[in-house]
Amino acid sequence: MHLLKKILAASAITALAAGCTPSAKNDPIATSGVEPTGAIEFWHPFTDREAKAVDDLVSDFRAKFPKVTVTVKGEQDDGKMIQAIGAGQGPDVAMSYSTDIVGRFCSSGAWIDLNQYIQRDKVDLNRYPQVIKTYTEYRNKRCAMPFLADAYGLYYNKSIFSDANVTAPPKTLAELADLAKRLTVKDKDGKLQRVGFLPLFGFYENSPSHLGPMVGASWLKPDGTSNIGSDPKWTELIKWQKELVDWYGYDKLEEFRAGLGDEWSAENAFQQGKVAMNIDGEWRLAFLKDQAPEVKYGVTSLPVNDMSRSGAGYTTGNVIGVAKTSANQEAAWALIRFLTTETSSIVKLCNGIRNLPSTTDARQSKDLVVDDNYRVFLDIHANPNTSTTPPSSVGAAYQDEFSAFLQQYQSGEAADLAGGLKKVDDQINNLIKLAG
Amino acid sequence: MSTLVTRGAGRPGTPWRKRLTPYTFVLPTLVGLGLFLIYPLLSAVYFSFTNIRLETLTDPPSFVGWNNWRFLLEDIRLGKAIENTVWLVLVMVPARMLGALLTALFLNQVKRGRGVYRTIFYLPALAPPVAATIAFVLLLKPGTGPVNTLLAKLGMSSPPLWFNDPDWAKPSLVFLALWGIGDLMIIFIAALLDVPAELHEAAALDGANAWQRFRYVTLPGISPVLQFAAITGVIATLQYFTQAAVAASVASGSVTAGGGITNVFGYPNDSTFTYPLRLYTVGFGTGALGYASVLSLVLFAVSLSATLLLLRRFRTFL
């Protein structure tokens, strides 16, 4: 009963709030060159080392704009931000670690359209790769700016490769499957002791969004409805993955997976040498350096089904915007502009957090600390075939619904792939319709 | 109102004042019920016909007719959520009641150290649900958890995968619930102590054995408390959320995964995906509060029906 009461009470409070809180401001913006003043609140999701890097950068902003007072609140997730903005409160500047939020925030107006500021201040958006521009706008409404970027590649354990006389990482899906089998070790009872590649959807970063670029699969049609069931590339990827899962045996893989440590802990399976190859983001470089410096590893781009797409991968990033409830949107924009357009800021943050720079000039900056592994991710990010998940009015729901089906399909509980994908399409389209 | 008070104040003891007095006593409760139950309930009904979204609560929503209600029949993830929740209600509630009753009966028989045992059995109920669930998942973790290590040492070649096996995930949640039966146990102990001892003595003199005394003296004596436990248990299990969400996140190996919510709920293979989790993912993950209102109204209706059924028919279960 408690949950129900909470839900009901929340409804009452939000309904009351609806009548008492101001709606979005539509005041004309100031002319160019006006110095921002006043107080703003900045929410971001980072913690510890990464939060410190953000704090340092905000200090630089304070020095440059002494008339703006910035209150920084870390460890703020999307849920808190959405509820706060929805209730007419919350931050002036809000950051999300997921681009999935952009469609919802742009379509609903929860984050304001930044185009007016961008045009006034003549911000050159051509400095950003096309893929970044794609995930920071929704239907020509640019409500977000890219904070930093992430890219996904294939990590491989050089020691395991060397022991098995493997000289090069896989370039194609077929090679990945072959190597996965070759590098797998079982005990006398057939139990998995080490896997070459753990193909289960749901394991660590193995989501359809991260694996989809290996075949160039697409998510949505131009009209915003689901394209999953219609795109044969998804079927190709799923069949490849299922074949590999069946080679291992789903139950055996789940049994093996159950004994692995948490992705973000030092017990991470790749760091422990229990998985020879693993798909992960560039941030794993910092984790490896910090938690498993003894591991000899290499990084390469995602294996692909078609070599013409070699070097491509999945990219995403942090996004930042001005909440519609902000009472000081001018100062909020000043902070966003400082964090996302100034090369020195971007480079400093990249070196601190070890994510990827979002602009081409930051990428080429001599101050950017680059090693061979980091460069692999820079190249993946810059590859013209690298793709992202498109913004949608339902956020990440289209990915979640698809993932739920994939879990059932890989376990064998769902057998009809085409029929299942059709149902996923219908489900997503219904959710999009409900979103209005 | 002010007019009435002014007139009444000058003439204490008039019919007006007499009639008004009891209403003033219940007024705070009526205001509370109206503000925190009736108004939100009616709001939910209204919202269920709109496209209200989480991000824009301050904007007036548009009317969408029966769209949200129609999706209730088309939502392909709802069936599994209902199935899991019904399973938990049918298994977890009786298991907790039986476990708590047996423990209470046992503790009532203990002569020495009763207080210590009561404390030991009650303590798990004090553990915060999130911490308790994390601890339980780690205890039962295949490969590294102490439970499976012990089972392996005892000669079991393939111990269960517990929270990582779709067939064992819900039973594992039941074990977790059984571990925390202290709250029910205390109530049952109090109820058992309230059963008049002379009834037991009379039954014994009449030749009733231990089972007959339990069946025909103890059970009827504590039936109101059992009814209370059943009703609150069913309602709580219909709203089962925290333990299912945490267990899935921890067992999946992505406890601090980015996006924040929803994509690991139900792991493994939607076996722990409950109705409230569907409500949450729709409302907070997708932001579709209109459809979430539909789900909450259905949950309310089911909870109310279950409560009425148990209030009227509980004795038939005894």
Side-chain angles (χ1 to χ4, degrees), chain B:
Chain B
M1 177 66 91
S2 59
T3 312
L4 290 174
V5 171
T6 309
R7 290 163 84 187
R11 290 181 290 168
T14 61
W16 272 112
R17 184 176 177 122
K18 275 191 176 177
R19 255 184 264 169
L20 215 69
T21 304
Y23 291 106
T24 58
F25 290 142
V26 295
L27 190 62
T29 302
L30 289 177
V31 169
L33 279 174
L35 201 59
F36 295 111
L37 183 66
I38 307 298
Y39 174 64
L41 195 59
L42 294 177
S43 296
V45 173
Y46 164 65
F47 289 147
S48 73
F49 293 99
T50 70
N51 68 346
I52 183 169
R53 294 195 58 78
L54 189 61
E55 310 87 57
T56 50
L57 285 173
T58 53
D59 299 341
S62 305
F63 185 71
V64 295
W66 290 95
N67 283 1
N68 292 321
W69 288 92
R70 262 196 295 273
F71 187 52
L72 193 66
L73 305 174
E74 297 165 353
D75 186 351
I76 58 174
R77 295 193 74 192
L78 191 60
K80 189 74 176 175
I82 292 172
E83 181 190 321
N84 289 332
T85 304
V86 170
W87 189 99
L88 288 170
V89 168
L90 294 179
V91 177
M92 189 185 285
V93 177
R96 262 176 59 83
M97 286 179 65
L98 190 63
L101 184 58
L102 290 175
T103 311
L105 285 168
F106 164 72
L107 290 182
N108 267 6
Q109 303 301 316
V110 172
K111 301 296 178 198
R112 292 184 61 187
R114 186 184 288 181
V116 175
Y117 286 118
R118 281 181 187 173
T119 307
I120 290 171
F121 279 101
Y122 182 70
L123 272 179
L126 297 177
V130 172
T133 309
I134 291 173
F136 230 73
V137 175
L138 296 179
L139 281 173
L140 295 177
K141 190 172 173 60
T144 55
V147 173
N148 274 15
T149 305
L150 184 67
L151 290 175
K153 282 185 178 167
L154 292 173
M156 190 181 279
S157 57
S158 297
L161 299 182
W162 306 110
F163 287 102
N164 291 79
D165 183 339
D167 295 330
W168 275 99
K170 282 192 290 291
S172 302
L173 288 172
V174 174
F175 293 144
L176 170 63
L178 281 173
W179 178 70
I181 55 173
D183 53 343
L184 269 187
M185 181 202 71
I186 287 291
I187 298 170
F188 286 163
I189 286 175
L192 287 170
L193 292 174
D194 265 359
V195 178
E198 52 268 34
L199 287 182
H200 280 286
E201 290 164 9
L205 286 173
D206 287 344
N209 59 28
W211 164 249
Q212 287 168 326
R213 288 201 302 277
F214 173 74
R215 174 68 185 85
Y216 297 108
V217 177
T218 306
L219 270 189
I222 64 169
S223 67
V225 175
L226 290 174
Q227 188 181 37
F228 166 79
I231 290 171
T232 53
V234 166
I235 292 171
T237 311
L238 284 171
Q239 297 168 5
Y240 197 71
F241 180 94
T242 307
Q243 291 89 339
V246 175
S249 303
V250 179
S252 73
S254 299
V255 68
T256 52
I261 50 170
T262 73
N263 60 347
V264 293
F265 283 176
Y267 176 83
N269 208 7
D270 268 0
S271 59
T272 57
F273 193 64
T274 60
Y275 188 93
L277 283 174
R278 182 59 183 154
L279 199 162
Y280 183 85
T281 53
V282 165
F284 291 86
T286 313
L289 289 186
Y291 181 53
S293 297
V294 170
L295 291 177
S296 65
L297 287 170
V298 171
L299 181 62
F300 177 74
V302 171
S303 295
L304 191 63
S305 305
T307 304
L308 292 175
L309 180 74
L310 286 168
L311 279 173
R312 286 167 182 250
R313 299 284 180 190
F314 187 75
R315 283 198 167 274
T316 59
F317 297 114
L318 290 181

Side-chain angles (χ1 to χ4, degrees), chain A residues 316-330:
Chain A
T316 182
N318 305 124
V319 289
I320 187 168
V322 177
K324 71 168 185 175
T325 49
S326 169
N328 193 351
Q329 295 180 356
E330 192 62 47

Side-chain angles (χ1 to χ4, degrees), chain A residues 108-349:
Chain A
S108 65
W111 281 5
I112 65 165
D113 190 347
L114 298 173
N115 271 321
Q116 51 186 345
Y117 292 102
I118 289 168
Q119 285 163 13
R120 182 197 68 183
D121 294 338
K122 297 183 175 57
V123 174
D124 181 12
L125 293 179
N126 291 322
R127 296 165 64 209
Y128 302 97
Q130 183 55 40
V131 68
I132 283 186
K133 284 194 277 188
T134 303
Y135 71 58
T136 46
E137 69 174 358
Y138 180 72
R139 295 186 177 170
N140 297 323
K141 204 171 172 187
R142 173 163 300 285
C143 66
M145 290 293 281
F147 189 61
L148 289 179
D150 298 309
Y152 285 74
L154 184 78
Y155 286 76
Y156 57 96
N157 188 308
K158 283 184 173 175
S159 303
I160 296 174
F161 270 43
S162 170
D163 292 346
N165 294 320
V166 179
T167 53
K171 293 288 179 198
T172 65
L173 287 179
E175 288 175 14
L176 176 59
D178 286 344
L179 264 185
K181 295 171 187 174
R182 192 170 150 193
L183 299 175
T184 293
V185 177
K186 299 177 183 177
D187 68 9
K188 58 181 171 32
D189 300 323
K191 275 189 176 178
L192 296 168
Q193 299 298 302
R194 182 184 77 202
V195 299
F197 177 74
L198 211 166
L200 289 175
F201 281 118
F203 167 69
Y204 289 179
E205 297 296 322
N206 287 3
S207 64
S209 54
H210 302 161
L211 270 62
M214 298 202 299
V215 293
S218 62
W219 288 93
L220 302 175
K221 294 174 181 168
D223 65 0
T225 57
S226 175
N227 195 37
I228 294 167
S230 311
D231 189 343
K233 289 172 181 171
W234 280 120
T235 306
E236 182 184 351
L237 176 69
I238 296 166
K239 283 183 174 171
W240 171 84
Q241 183 264 0
K242 183 73 165 77
E243 208 174 288
L244 192 53
V245 169
D246 290 345
W247 180 82
Y248 282 109
Y250 174 77
D251 291 340
K252 284 196 163 59
L253 274 180
E254 274 295 348
E255 184 181 7
F256 177 75
R257 175 191 180 181
L260 302 176
D262 186 80
E263 177 183 0
W264 306 99
S265 73
E267 304 302 311
N268 176 288
F270 180 78
Q271 294 176 186
Q272 291 289 315
K274 292 183 176 175
V275 175
M277 296 176 286
N278 201 32
I279 289 172
D280 215 333
E282 83 289 338
W283 59 78
R284 183 58 54 193
L285 299 173
F287 279 88
L288 279 158
K289 187 178 176 186
D290 183 39
Q291 297 174 338
E294 72 286 355
V295 174
K296 292 177 182 163
Y297 68 93
V299 193
T300 187
S301 57
L302 297 180
V304 290
N305 63 335
D306 172 2
M307 283 307 286
S308 68
R309 300 186 62 263
S310 181
Y314 174 77
T315 188
T316 182
N318 305 124
V319 289
I320 187 168
V322 177
K324 71 168 185 175
T325 49
S326 169
N328 193 351
Q329 295 180 356
E330 192 62 47
W333 164 249
L335 177 61
I336 289 179
R337 191 178 168 199
F338 177 83
L339 294 175
T340 63
T341 68
E342 295 208 7
T343 301
S344 58
S345 303
I346 297 170
V347 169
K348 184 174 180 179
L349 209 54

